[in-house]
């Protein structure tokens, strides 16, 4: 029985069995003293039993804990209102009064995460576990911290060694860790176990559908998405996932359901996904004006939920990184790292698939470790230069290079070449070339109009807040162009460009040159890349499992009249 259920049960017993109610309350408050309602109820119970001294003691506890809880709630509100410093001040005061109080430590960990200090987030969560290991919520939050900080193997190890009776929530976190490590059979087994326990079954089918899509089993993916909708017909993500499958065609019943859902929709992510899916359905019918109208509504909702805040990072790079930073002189040459960067939706997954089809190349998924290192270095604010590169010692460079290599170790096979395909790493080329001076950088470019349109019509699970209105989308693309031009100047001859149009129109020659640049011999697998059965964890997974086609080059032109305001903003 949960503490709240126990307190409510005691409340029903006070009038008829006050002694039993008191016994129940004392037991639950001994284990969970943070429930101020329980202390108020205990005071009332003592009053009924004419235990006046105990009543006064319980009232004092109630008043103190009620005040503590209100302060804690205020700190959480400050954090939600983007005021982490004020939240931290409140929490530090509370921890001075009650050292190691588990909820205060949880909030302190949340504050660290909010300000981008993932290292502190994990450290505080671990400290909380060391001092409050009897609290199930603390164990769950530590597991969540391991997942959030991408300590996937550590989470699996902790689960196996230190959690004799894991909750279903912890099992769900474990499944995510297995997915991130591309251990899909283990993840599927856990989701099926959760289904047997009736633990959020619609979500479990959704995740199983995603796994089957990653593995290339489109029909199985559709089946799971359909089952999730049978369990929850208002699950926007399931509709969007169907829309994002290139082979699925919405039927009249699907469209009718989506139209009804949008009529009753409120402005949240779920309803935005209804509109994104309905836009795809109208596009399939050739009704491009109505399709665009749905996209306009979808993006307005998304923008209201995740407003875009332009960064000064681009200008800082151009201002302070005018010369190559001193590179790591102890880089690991046993692995040839290949970083693929681009604007999202520009064809980077196709380039990755072609290279990954070569028997001498290993690849994984869109890694975020370079970004995690970048955020950690930026949070230290060592100097005005991005990442404080001018203040990094040789040991610092060796440390972060080693950290990255340790991160990719479980994702690699035996091959010397390893691909890190993460489009947004275009921000971090100076960091990459400082840590790994011998790394190859491949930039994938595509017609800006096609790229902008592809971004605007897509619902992203996280990030990409710039893509939900024309002004910020154009600014992001223009900033990308400017920054890549700056990197091309700073690292002249070290960034190889793969043009998507050339890849489509002159496939054989473009692939030959690409492989030559990567010091790879031509292999028929690269020509027949669509037959390579590797997991692909991006929205483009279906496209790269079929031969080259040219439809995507001009699809945006169906919406040209609607896109004119955007196209005018692009440089």
């Amino acid at each position: 029985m949960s503490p709240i259920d126990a307190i409510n049960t005691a409340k029903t017993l006070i009038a008829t069995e006050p002694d039993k109610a008191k016994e129940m309350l004392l037991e639950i408050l001994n284990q969970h003293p943070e429930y101020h309602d329980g202390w108020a109820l205990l005071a009332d119970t003592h009053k009924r039993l004419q235990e006046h001294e105990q009543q006064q003691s319980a009232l004092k506890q109630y008043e103190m804990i009620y005040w503590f809880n209100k302060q804690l709630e205020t700190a959480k509100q400050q954090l939600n209102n983007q005021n982490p410093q004020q939240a931290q001040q409140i929490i530090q005061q509370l921890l001075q009064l009650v050292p190691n109080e588990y909820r205060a430590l949880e909030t302190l960990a949340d504050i660290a995460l909010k300000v981008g200090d993932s290292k502190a987030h994990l450290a505080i969560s671990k400290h909380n576990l060391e001092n409050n290991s009897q609290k199930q919520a603390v164990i769950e939050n530590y597991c969540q911290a391991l997942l959030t900080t991408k300590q996937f193997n550590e989470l699996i190890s902790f689960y196996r060694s230190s959690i004799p009776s894991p909750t279903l929530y912890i099992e769900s976190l474990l499944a995510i860790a297995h997915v991130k490590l591309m251990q899909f059979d283990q993840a599927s087994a856990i989701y099926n176990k959760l289904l047997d326990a009736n633990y959020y079954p619609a979500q479990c089918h959704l995740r199983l559908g995603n796994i089957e899509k990653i593995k290339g089993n489109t029909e199985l993916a559709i089946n799971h998405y359909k089952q999730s909708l049978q369990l929850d017909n208002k699950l926007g993500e399931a509709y969007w996932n169907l829309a994002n499958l290139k082979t699925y065609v919405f039927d009249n019943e699907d469209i009718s359901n989506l139209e009804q859902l949008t009529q009753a929709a409120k402005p949240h992510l779920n309803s935005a996904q209804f509109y994104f899916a309905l836009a795809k359905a109208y596009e399939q019918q050739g009704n491009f004006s109505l399709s665009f109208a749905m996209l306009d509504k979808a993006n307005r909702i998304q923008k209201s939920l995740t407003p875009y805040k332009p960064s000064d990072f681009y200008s800082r790079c151009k201002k302070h990184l005018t010369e190559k930073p001193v590179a790591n002189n102890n880089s690991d040459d046993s692995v040839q790292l290949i970083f693929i960067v681009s604007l999202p939706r520009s064809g980077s997954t196709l380039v990755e698939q072609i290279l990954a089809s070569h028997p001498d190349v290993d690849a994984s998924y869109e890694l975020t470790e370079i970004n995690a290192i970048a955020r950690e270095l930026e949070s230290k604010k060592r100097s005005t230069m991005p990442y404080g590169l001018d203040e990094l010692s040789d040991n610092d460079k060796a440390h972060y290079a080693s950290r990255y290599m340790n991160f990719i170790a479980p994702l690699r096979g035996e091959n010397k070449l390893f691909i890190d395909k993460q489009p947004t790493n275009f921000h971090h080329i100076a960091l990459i070339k400082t840590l790994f001076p011998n790394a190859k950088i491949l930039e994938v470019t595509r017609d800006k109009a096609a790229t902008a349109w592809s971004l605007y019509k897509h619902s992203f699970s996280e990030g990409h807040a710039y893509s939900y209105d024309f002004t910020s989308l154009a600014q992001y693309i223009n900033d990308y162009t400017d920054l890549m031009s700056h990197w091309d100047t700073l690292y002249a001859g070290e960034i190889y460009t793969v043009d998507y149009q050339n890849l489509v129109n002159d496939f054989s020659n473009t692939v030959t040159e690409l492989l030559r640049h990567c010091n790879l011999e031509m292999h028929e697998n690269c020509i027949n890349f669509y037959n390579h059965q590797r997991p692909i964890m991006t929205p483009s997974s279906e496209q790269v499992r079929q031969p080259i086609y040219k439809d995507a080059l001009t699809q945006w032109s169906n919406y040209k009249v609607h896109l004119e305001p955007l196209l005018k903003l692009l440089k």
Side-chain angles (χ1 to χ4, degrees):
M1 186 183 299
S2 72
I4 293 175
D5 289 341
I7 290 170
N8 288 334
T9 301
K11 189 174 183 179
T12 64
L13 294 173
I14 286 179
T16 57
E17 300 180 76
D19 284 316
K20 189 172 182 180
K22 182 179 78 170
E23 181 182 353
M24 181 175 290
L25 286 167
L26 287 172
E27 181 179 354
I28 197 66
L29 291 172
N30 182 54
Q31 298 176 30
H32 303 280
E34 66 271 21
Y35 287 90
H36 60 261
D37 288 343
W39 289 104
L41 199 59
L42 181 61
D44 189 30
T45 306
H46 285 308
K47 181 179 179 181
R48 288 175 183 270
L49 294 169
Q50 297 185 353
E51 298 170 347
H52 301 299
E53 187 176 337
Q54 293 94 322
Q55 177 193 358
Q56 292 303 313
S57 177
L59 279 173
K60 287 182 180 179
Q61 285 292 101
Y62 163 76
E63 290 169 357
M64 289 188 296
I65 295 171
Y66 176 79
W67 175 86
F68 189 99
N69 289 346
K70 290 294 289 183
Q71 291 293 107
L72 187 62
E73 186 60 34
T74 299
K76 292 179 179 179
Q77 289 173 356
Q78 291 283 8
L79 186 58
N80 290 335
N81 293 334
Q82 313 300 319
N83 297 318
Q85 188 172 0
Q86 290 90 327
Q88 184 174 348
Q89 289 174 354
I90 296 171
I91 292 300
Q92 288 175 336
Q93 291 171 357
L94 294 180
L95 287 170
Q96 286 178 353
L97 293 172
V98 187
N100 295 321
E101 206 279 339
Y102 79 98
R103 296 168 302 156
L105 286 173
E106 285 176 356
T107 307
L108 191 62
D110 290 340
I111 293 169
L113 186 62
K114 190 79 169 183
V115 300
D117 192 344
S118 59
K119 189 175 181 180
H121 172 68
L122 182 58
I124 295 167
S125 300
K126 185 176 182 180
H127 175 79
N128 201 0
L129 179 71
E130 291 167 348
N131 288 276
N132 299 291
S133 59
Q134 76 283 5
K135 296 287 187 182
Q136 191 64 55
V138 172
I139 298 172
E140 291 182 345
N141 281 324
Y142 178 64
C143 291
Q144 180 65 66
L146 288 171
L147 188 66
T148 301
T149 55
K150 300 176 177 57
Q151 309 291 311
F152 306 128
N153 282 312
E154 289 80 357
L155 172 55
I156 294 170
S157 177
F158 178 70
Y159 170 88
R160 291 172 177 168
S161 64
S162 305
I163 311 180
S165 301
T167 61
L168 294 176
Y169 173 69
I170 291 176
E171 296 275 7
S172 71
L173 298 179
L174 186 71
I176 297 172
H178 282 302
V179 169
K180 293 297 186 181
L181 291 170
M182 305 182 79
Q183 298 167 351
F184 301 112
D185 290 344
Q186 293 93 321
S188 294
I190 294 172
Y191 282 124
N192 280 303
K193 177 182 176 181
L194 294 174
L195 275 176
D196 291 339
N198 201 34
Y199 181 81
Y200 296 100
Q203 289 290 333
C204 288
H205 278 296
L206 194 63
R207 303 307 163 212
L208 285 166
N210 291 344
I211 289 172
E212 295 302 338
K213 180 189 175 185
I214 289 168
K215 293 164 66 175
N217 301 323
T218 303
E219 290 304 315
L220 289 176
I222 292 172
N223 184 49
H224 280 296
Y225 294 148
K226 288 286 191 178
Q227 288 187 72
S228 71
L229 287 171
Q230 288 175 2
L231 293 161
D232 181 359
N233 65 357
K234 297 180 179 179
L235 193 57
E237 188 179 349
Y239 279 112
W240 166 243
N241 286 353
L242 286 169
N244 210 24
L245 290 169
K246 310 308 171 187
T247 55
Y248 184 78
V249 178
F250 287 101
D251 59 26
N252 290 334
E253 183 180 353
D254 290 329
I255 294 172
S256 177
N257 289 339
L258 281 167
E259 288 173 338
Q260 292 178 29
L261 289 166
T262 54
Q263 289 172 8
K266 295 181 180 180
H268 50 67
L269 175 61
N270 200 58
S271 58
Q273 290 170 327
F274 294 152
Y275 283 112
F276 276 115
L278 193 53
K280 177 64 177 292
Y282 290 145
E283 180 182 84
Q284 290 172 344
Q285 294 180 332
N287 193 336
F288 302 116
S289 292
L290 193 52
S291 173
F292 185 83
M294 295 301 102
L295 283 174
D296 180 65
K297 291 181 179 180
N299 280 289
R300 287 178 186 273
I301 294 173
Q302 287 277 69
K303 181 184 176 182
S304 71
L305 298 173
T306 53
Y308 178 54
K309 297 179 181 178
S311 169
D312 66 347
F313 185 79
Y314 302 91
S315 59
R316 287 175 56 220
C317 286
K318 289 187 284 187
K319 179 179 179 180
H320 298 290
L321 286 167
T322 56
E323 295 182 1
K324 290 184 187 180
V326 178
N328 176 19
N329 58 9
N330 292 310
S331 59
D332 184 354
D333 292 331
S334 65
V335 181
Q336 173 62 72
L337 297 174
I338 301 174
F339 290 88
I340 302 178
V341 304
S342 68
L343 282 168
R345 317 296 297 156
S346 293
S348 58
T349 301
L350 175 59
V351 173
E352 178 193 35
Q353 177 75 349
I354 291 167
L355 288 174
S357 299
H358 198 287
D360 295 335
V361 176
D362 290 326
S364 58
Y365 58 96
E366 290 190 346
L367 305 179
T368 56
E369 185 63 7
I370 289 294
N371 186 60
I373 292 171
R375 288 185 64 180
E376 181 175 318
L377 287 171
E378 282 281 277
S379 70
K380 295 179 183 297
K381 298 183 176 169
R382 300 186 185 205
S383 70
T384 56
M385 182 178 286
Y387 324 108
L389 287 181
D390 54 337
E391 296 293 329
L392 286 187
S393 67
D394 290 343
N395 286 339
D396 290 331
K397 294 168 190 172
H399 163 74
Y400 286 107
S402 177
R403 167 177 159 176
Y404 177 84
M405 296 304 295
N406 289 335
F407 181 85
I408 68 171
L411 304 173
R412 292 181 54 212
E414 299 298 323
N415 290 312
K416 182 175 180 179
L417 276 71
F418 179 82
I419 298 173
D420 182 331
K421 195 275 288 189
Q422 172 56 267
T424 56
N425 275 345
F426 77 84
H427 296 95
H428 309 307
I429 287 178
L431 175 61
I432 291 169
K433 293 297 287 184
T434 299
L435 299 182
F436 305 106
N438 297 323
K440 291 185 179 295
I441 309 292
L442 308 182
E443 182 197 9
V444 184
T445 61
R446 184 184 179 189
D447 177 74
K448 289 181 181 178
T451 300
W453 167 238
S454 188
L455 283 164
Y456 189 70
K457 67 185 288 190
H458 197 84
S459 176
F460 293 95
S461 59
E462 60 182 355
H464 306 287
Y466 60 85
S467 68
Y468 302 124
D469 77 84
F470 284 175
T471 301
S472 58
L473 178 53
Q475 179 179 354
Y476 189 86
I477 293 174
N478 291 337
D479 285 343
Y480 168 89
T481 302
D482 289 345
L483 186 58
M484 285 307 303
S485 177
H486 177 71
W487 295 143
D488 280 330
T489 301
L490 189 63
Y491 294 98
E494 297 183 55
I495 300 175
Y496 182 84
T497 300
V498 182
D499 185 85
Y500 180 75
Q501 283 83 349
N502 289 344
L503 194 58
V504 172
N505 292 320
D506 189 13
F507 179 74
S508 181
N509 287 330
T510 305
V511 170
T512 299
E513 292 175 7
L514 171 63
L515 293 175
R516 184 182 299 120
H517 175 77
C518 295
N519 299 321
L520 290 166
E521 298 289 335
M522 173 56 75
H523 197 282
E524 62 179 354
N525 287 2
C526 298
I527 301 298
N528 302 317
F529 63 89
Y530 46 86
N531 291 326
H532 186 38
Q533 296 301 309
R534 59 178 283 264
I536 303 171
M537 298 174 69
T538 71
S540 305
S541 59
E542 284 184 289
Q543 292 103 306
V544 302
R545 289 193 172 106
Q546 55 185 300
I548 288 289
Y549 61 96
K550 299 184 179 182
D551 297 357
L553 294 178
T554 57
Q555 189 183 48
W556 70 273
S557 61
N558 293 319
Y559 299 85
K560 187 173 182 178
V561 64
H562 303 289
L563 295 174
E564 283 299 334
L566 170 61
L567 300 180
K568 289 178 181 178
L569 295 171
L570 295 174
K571 289 182 180 179

